[in-house]
Amino acid sequence: MPLRIDVITIFPDYFAPLQLSLMGKAQQSGLVTIAIHDLREFTSDRHRSVDDTPYGGGAGMVMTPEPWGQAIDAVVTDQSTLIVPTPAGKLFSQPVAAELAHSTHLIFACGRYEGIDQRVVEYYRPRIDVRELSIGDYVLAGGDVATLAMIEASVRLVPGVLGNPESLVEESHQLPGVEYPSYTKPPTWRGLDVPEVLLSGHHDQIARWRAEQSTIRTTHNRPDLLPGS
Ligand SMILES: Nc1nc2cc(Br)ccc2s1
């Protein structure tokens, strides 16, 4: 059963990259089907409006609930998971990507402006799995880029999508922390040599060096990922 993904957005063109490379191949292989829907197709006024001023005042505009209700109703089933990208959401992560990769149907609601009227989440929450997710502690101009990132991170974990599942095995055995640095040919480049141990053929020494490099890098770049932190 392929993973079905429906994306609802006011900027369908943002999702053209999903036709390329690994994501494009995943769709051609039939492992994943991705459909992009223009929210404005679900409006009913002459101006095809999707936003209005916020109750309670404040800057910016809020996306009105009805077009979202119409758009989500057009694709939802009892197997759907509705994902709402928002800076206020739980943090998306590799474990969440793995969960989404094993879903049946994902609906991404890409908000803009100050976000979507909260009643959309409130309406669907009793009916289907609803997840408000953020991709990091920074604010984008909309949920579209966050959705692209979450789709790519999840779809690559769908069994059969990655040509070489070995790389997933390595990832899953990744020590807590960040990955070691990688090198390839030439052995010397602009006077810089590849670390000798990597050319030695001593696999135990190479594994030890890589573990050390991972720890050094994690300590420097991501001490929050160190064990016991
Ligand atoms: N980090 C994130 N920023 C945003 C902004 C908007 Br507007 C909608 C969704 C997201 S997710």
Side-chain angles (χ1 to χ4, degrees):
M1 175 82 158
L3 166 61
R4 178 170 176 82
I5 299 176
D6 285 291
V7 178
I8 305 167
T9 173
I10 59 172
F11 293 118
D13 292 349
Y14 249 90
F15 295 90
L18 291 177
Q19 301 309 316
L20 305 173
S21 186
L22 188 70
M23 295 299 106
K25 292 188 178 69
Q27 293 183 76
Q28 286 158 6
S29 71
L31 289 167
V32 178
T33 60
I34 303 177
I36 313 299
H37 308 274
D38 183 345
L39 180 68
R40 293 192 193 277
E41 298 298 317
F42 297 91
T43 59
S44 50
D45 64 307
R46 194 157 53 93
H47 299 293
R48 293 166 41 108
S49 57
V50 293
D51 63 307
D52 206 330
T53 52
Y55 278 124
M61 301 290 272
V62 175
M63 301 191 91
T64 53
E66 184 54 17
W68 287 104
Q70 293 292 330
I72 295 168
D73 285 353
V75 297
V76 75
T77 74
D78 57 6
Q79 302 287 309
S80 304
T81 296
L82 174 63
I83 296 166
V84 183
T86 167
K90 290 184 179 178
L91 193 57
F92 181 73
S93 62
Q94 195 68 8
V96 174
E99 285 175 48
L100 300 187
H102 291 89
S103 303
T104 302
H105 182 214
L106 302 175
I107 304 171
F108 286 89
C110 302
R112 283 267 150 176
Y113 309 104
E114 300 310 308
I116 302 171
D117 186 301
Q118 193 61 22
R119 287 171 291 181
V120 174
V121 165
E122 289 165 17
Y123 176 82
Y124 288 102
R125 191 149 264 163
R127 293 168 170 83
I128 56 172
D129 183 19
V130 178
R131 306 181 77 161
E132 294 178 283
L133 295 175
S134 175
I135 60 167
D137 293 334
Y138 42 83
V139 181
L140 300 167
D144 308 84
V145 165
T147 294
L148 271 173
M150 290 191 274
I151 287 176
E152 182 164 310
S154 304
V155 166
R156 67 185 289 277
L157 298 180
V158 169
V161 166
L162 272 193
N164 171 17
E166 189 54 32
S167 45
L168 283 182
V169 171
E170 269 199 20
E171 261 175 40
S172 63
H173 293 168
Q174 177 67 38
L175 295 168
V178 300
E179 203 164 57
Y180 49 80
S182 297
Y183 299 83
T184 185
K185 303 179 188 64
T188 298
W189 176 72
R190 295 188 181 184
L192 298 170
D193 295 335
V194 169
E196 216 166 303
V197 65
L198 298 180
L199 308 177
S200 69
H202 294 305
H203 297 293
D204 291 352
Q205 291 180 26
I206 291 169
R208 199 162 38 251
W209 180 87
R210 284 176 165 174
E212 286 163 4
Q213 289 298 312
S214 170
T215 302
I216 292 165
R217 253 182 158 192
T218 304
T219 304
H220 187 263
N221 294 340
R222 290 297 304 273
D224 59 298
L225 294 180
L226 286 172
S229 60

